[in-house]
mmCIF file of all heavy atoms in Angstrom:
data_model
loop_
_atom_site.group_PDB
_atom_site.id
_atom_site.type_symbol
_atom_site.label_atom_id
_atom_site.label_comp_id
_atom_site.label_asym_id
_atom_site.label_seq_id
_atom_site.Cartn_x
_atom_site.Cartn_y
_atom_site.Cartn_z
ATOM 1 N N ALA A 285 -0.508 -4.686 -11.558
ATOM 2 C CA ALA A 285 -0.604 -3.712 -12.651
ATOM 3 C C ALA A 285 0.446 -2.619 -12.560
ATOM 4 O O ALA A 285 0.561 -1.796 -13.474
ATOM 5 C CB ALA A 285 -1.998 -3.083 -12.662
ATOM 6 N N LEU A 286 1.235 -2.586 -11.488
ATOM 7 C CA LEU A 286 2.248 -1.557 -11.302
ATOM 8 C C LEU A 286 3.643 -2.154 -11.485
ATOM 9 O O LEU A 286 3.846 -3.347 -11.237
ATOM 10 C CB LEU A 286 2.100 -0.938 -9.908
ATOM 11 C CG LEU A 286 0.768 -0.222 -9.648
ATOM 12 C CD1 LEU A 286 0.661 0.208 -8.194
ATOM 13 C CD2 LEU A 286 0.619 0.986 -10.572
ATOM 14 N N PRO A 287 4.617 -1.345 -11.908
ATOM 15 C CA PRO A 287 5.950 -1.886 -12.200
ATOM 16 C C PRO A 287 6.604 -2.676 -11.067
ATOM 17 O O PRO A 287 7.170 -3.740 -11.329
ATOM 18 C CB PRO A 287 6.756 -0.623 -12.565
ATOM 19 C CG PRO A 287 5.742 0.300 -13.133
ATOM 20 C CD PRO A 287 4.499 0.076 -12.334
ATOM 21 N N PRO A 288 6.562 -2.226 -9.799
ATOM 22 C CA PRO A 288 7.202 -3.043 -8.753
ATOM 23 C C PRO A 288 6.584 -4.427 -8.612
ATOM 24 O O PRO A 288 7.302 -5.424 -8.428
ATOM 25 C CB PRO A 288 6.993 -2.202 -7.487
ATOM 26 C CG PRO A 288 6.846 -0.803 -7.971
ATOM 27 C CD PRO A 288 6.092 -0.924 -9.259
ATOM 28 N N GLY A 289 5.258 -4.512 -8.700
ATOM 29 C CA GLY A 289 4.594 -5.800 -8.564
ATOM 30 C C GLY A 289 4.868 -6.711 -9.749
ATOM 31 O O GLY A 289 5.201 -7.889 -9.574
ATOM 32 N N ALA A 290 4.725 -6.179 -10.955
ATOM 33 C CA ALA A 290 5.008 -6.978 -12.150
ATOM 34 C C ALA A 290 6.470 -7.401 -12.180
ATOM 35 O O ALA A 290 6.801 -8.542 -12.530
ATOM 36 C CB ALA A 290 4.649 -6.177 -13.399
ATOM 37 N N GLY A 291 7.357 -6.487 -11.801
ATOM 38 C CA GLY A 291 8.782 -6.797 -11.806
ATOM 39 C C GLY A 291 9.159 -7.850 -10.779
ATOM 40 O O GLY A 291 9.947 -8.758 -11.054
ATOM 41 N N THR A 292 8.588 -7.754 -9.572
ATOM 42 C CA THR A 292 8.893 -8.731 -8.530
ATOM 43 C C THR A 292 8.412 -10.118 -8.928
ATOM 44 O O THR A 292 9.107 -11.120 -8.724
ATOM 45 C CB THR A 292 8.243 -8.307 -7.197
ATOM 46 O OG1 THR A 292 8.792 -7.044 -6.804
ATOM 47 C CG2 THR A 292 8.511 -9.323 -6.110
ATOM 48 N N TRP A 293 7.214 -10.193 -9.493
ATOM 49 C CA TRP A 293 6.694 -11.483 -9.943
ATOM 50 C C TRP A 293 7.615 -12.098 -10.999
ATOM 51 O O TRP A 293 7.964 -13.286 -10.936
ATOM 52 C CB TRP A 293 5.285 -11.314 -10.501
ATOM 53 C CG TRP A 293 4.678 -12.606 -10.970
ATOM 54 C CD1 TRP A 293 4.801 -13.187 -12.194
ATOM 55 C CD2 TRP A 293 3.860 -13.493 -10.185
ATOM 56 N NE1 TRP A 293 4.111 -14.369 -12.236
ATOM 57 C CE2 TRP A 293 3.527 -14.591 -11.018
ATOM 58 C CE3 TRP A 293 3.374 -13.459 -8.879
ATOM 59 C CZ2 TRP A 293 2.731 -15.644 -10.590
ATOM 60 C CZ3 TRP A 293 2.582 -14.516 -8.440
ATOM 61 C CH2 TRP A 293 2.266 -15.585 -9.289
ATOM 62 N N ALA A 294 8.019 -11.296 -11.989
ATOM 63 C CA ALA A 294 8.872 -11.801 -13.060
ATOM 64 C C ALA A 294 10.252 -12.196 -12.537
ATOM 65 O O ALA A 294 10.804 -13.226 -12.948
ATOM 66 C CB ALA A 294 9.001 -10.751 -14.159
ATOM 67 N N ALA A 295 10.815 -11.401 -11.637
ATOM 68 C CA ALA A 295 12.134 -11.711 -11.095
ATOM 69 C C ALA A 295 12.124 -13.030 -10.321
ATOM 70 O O ALA A 295 13.043 -13.852 -10.446
ATOM 71 C CB ALA A 295 12.611 -10.576 -10.195
ATOM 72 N N ARG A 296 11.096 -13.261 -9.524
ATOM 73 C CA ARG A 296 10.995 -14.523 -8.786
ATOM 74 C C ARG A 296 10.784 -15.697 -9.736
ATOM 75 O O ARG A 296 11.314 -16.796 -9.514
ATOM 76 C CB ARG A 296 9.867 -14.438 -7.765
ATOM 77 C CG ARG A 296 10.252 -13.648 -6.520
ATOM 78 C CD ARG A 296 9.106 -13.524 -5.541
ATOM 79 N NE ARG A 296 9.565 -12.951 -4.270
ATOM 80 C CZ ARG A 296 8.774 -12.405 -3.368
ATOM 81 N NH1 ARG A 296 7.471 -12.333 -3.589
ATOM 82 N NH2 ARG A 296 9.274 -11.926 -2.235
ATOM 83 N N SER A 297 10.012 -15.474 -10.790
ATOM 84 C CA SER A 297 9.805 -16.548 -11.762
ATOM 85 C C SER A 297 11.118 -16.929 -12.435
ATOM 86 O O SER A 297 11.406 -18.116 -12.635
ATOM 87 C CB SER A 297 8.778 -16.118 -12.814
ATOM 88 O OG SER A 297 7.482 -16.009 -12.245
#
Side-chain angles (χ1 to χ4, degrees):
L286 298 173
T292 298
W293 181 273
R296 282 178 171 161
S297 291

